[in-house]
Amino acid sequence: MRRTKEEALLTRDSLVDSALELFIENGYSNVSLHQIAESIGATRGAFYWHFKSKEEILLAICEREAAFIESLMFDLFHIKELNPDKHLEYALIGVIHNYYENKRYRDFVELTWFKMEHLVNDKVNELKTRANEYFIQGCKKIITKGVKDGFFKKQDSPLLWAVHLATIVNGIYRLYFISNHYMSKDAALSICNQFLISIKS
């Protein structure tokens, strides 16, 4: 029985991985349930055992990556022993490293930004935007402490700076796909570093 459950989980994970690859290659609307099942040698019945629709497997992709990125950001933002300037640098470097080193997460970004003709439902949109809010609030908390402790300049709003950082990171993500010859990992890290230098007191 235990083996059956483990096999079922492996099949489900394989369907999610394969669906993501097919959506990236062909666009969400151009992929059928049959193609997803066939790509891992499963039947349509096996697909329906795990997912009732293509929208449901898309939601599974989004939920998996939202859980992953929120876990990553929790680890990056909840460090007590670093000074605010080093903490903000650590969090930014961590986010950029993940983007360039984690193909699965990059594929998720590509899918939801460039390979879907429309938002499938409000839940998918919520999962796509929740990470931005987590990032902004995490940066705001570090910057607020940094301003109070004298590490960052006092003349600007910590929230505005946090939104500025979110804009930089999202711009890096987008430019990576549109004009990636401009956006190497080193270039992305340099852009983040220039911002960090600009807000130090």
Side-chain angles (χ1 to χ4, degrees):
M1 181 68 130
R2 182 173 175 178
R3 187 180 171 196
T4 302
K5 285 182 179 178
E6 288 173 352
E7 288 175 349
L9 284 172
L10 285 173
T11 299
R12 187 183 191 281
D13 288 343
S14 294
L15 286 168
V16 171
D17 289 338
S18 182
L20 178 56
E21 289 178 14
L22 287 168
F23 293 158
I24 291 294
E25 186 178 337
N26 303 297
Y28 176 78
S29 297
N30 297 321
V31 176
S32 69
L33 302 182
H34 175 70
Q35 286 174 292
I36 297 170
E38 189 179 52
S39 68
I40 67 160
T43 63
R44 284 186 65 154
F47 180 95
Y48 283 118
W49 175 261
H50 297 282
F51 303 102
K52 294 181 176 65
S53 66
K54 189 168 70 167
E55 183 175 304
E56 198 170 285
I57 200 169
L58 172 66
L59 188 58
I61 291 168
C62 293
E63 285 174 338
R64 179 178 71 177
E65 297 311 318
F68 165 77
I69 200 67
E70 285 177 18
S71 174
L72 172 68
M73 287 196 289
F74 182 88
D75 292 341
L76 293 174
F77 284 112
H78 290 81
I79 299 174
K80 303 292 185 187
E81 61 270 19
L82 293 177
N83 287 331
D85 57 337
K86 295 299 181 186
H87 191 177
L88 192 60
E89 180 182 3
Y90 177 81
L92 273 175
I93 288 173
V95 168
I96 297 301
H97 274 294
N98 173 67
Y99 189 70
Y100 281 84
E101 303 302 325
N102 184 346
K103 182 182 182 305
R104 193 184 81 184
Y105 183 73
R106 251 190 354 264
D107 284 348
F108 162 72
V109 171
E110 183 179 5
L111 168 64
T112 55
W113 285 9
F114 299 106
K115 299 292 184 173
M116 290 171 51
E117 295 75 10
H118 60 283
L119 289 175
V120 176
N121 61 33
D122 290 339
K123 183 66 176 173
V124 172
N125 192 39
E126 175 194 328
L127 290 168
K128 284 171 57 180
T129 57
R130 198 166 65 195
N132 272 327
E133 186 63 22
Y134 200 121
F135 179 81
I136 289 168
Q137 293 305 320
C139 289
K140 178 189 171 188
K141 185 175 180 181
I142 295 171
I143 293 168
T144 299
K145 185 175 187 326
V147 169
K148 181 182 175 186
D149 294 349
F151 289 94
F152 301 130
K153 296 173 184 173
K154 292 186 177 181
Q155 62 263 39
D156 289 311
S157 158
L159 177 59
L160 183 62
W161 272 340
V163 171
H164 192 139
L165 272 176
T167 304
I168 289 171
V169 170
N170 279 289
I172 288 168
Y173 285 10
R174 187 168 290 274
L175 200 57
Y176 175 89
F177 289 109
I178 295 171
S179 301
N180 70 353
H181 57 285
Y182 290 123
M183 201 44 64
S184 67
K185 184 177 175 183
D186 286 343
L189 290 170
S190 176
I191 289 166
C192 292
N193 188 53
Q194 286 174 31
F195 176 84
L196 291 171
I197 290 169
S198 74
I199 70 170
K200 285 183 181 178
S201 56

